[in-house]
Amino acid sequence: MSTITAYQFDASGFYRGQTSADESPLEPGVFLLPARCTLIPPPADVPAERWPRFNGAAWVLVNKPEALTTPDPVVKLREFLAANPDVAALIAG
């Protein structure tokens, strides 16, 4: 059984990486694609501020989202308490 390269994308269509598609044991020459994958490779040269997104037929380059990570909860709480001293006073007791 052989494999080929498949290209993964998330639920929004944004490129996530490569994986393998295995050949079907029942149909030689037919490859079983994992969920949210395509055999169409994404563009090779992508500017830093852009991100490949699969639209169901082809890859398009879109602006990269501002924040790709969740904010630190400690920093978020500290900022909230600084902006709301009455709440900070209630906690301090």
Side-chain angles (χ1 to χ4, degrees):
M1 197 164 48
S2 62
T3 62
I4 58 173
T5 301
Y7 305 92
Q8 293 181 315
F9 51 89
D10 65 13
S12 298
F14 291 109
Y15 178 68
R16 288 296 178 197
Q18 294 182 2
T19 190
S20 297
D22 296 323
E23 187 175 18
S24 170
L26 302 176
E27 299 175 88
V30 174
F31 290 85
L32 306 172
L33 281 179
R36 296 189 183 127
C37 285
T38 182
L39 296 177
I40 302 168
D45 295 322
V46 179
E49 70 279 357
R50 307 284 277 173
W51 200 357
R53 184 176 189 193
F54 192 68
N55 65 11
W59 292 99
V60 294
L61 295 179
V62 297
N63 291 333
K64 193 174 275 191
E66 292 285 327
L68 296 177
T69 60
T70 56
D72 180 11
V74 174
V75 172
K76 191 174 179 180
L77 178 60
R78 189 176 296 132
E79 290 171 354
F80 174 80
L81 293 175
N84 297 281
D86 53 335
V87 176
L90 287 172
I91 292 173

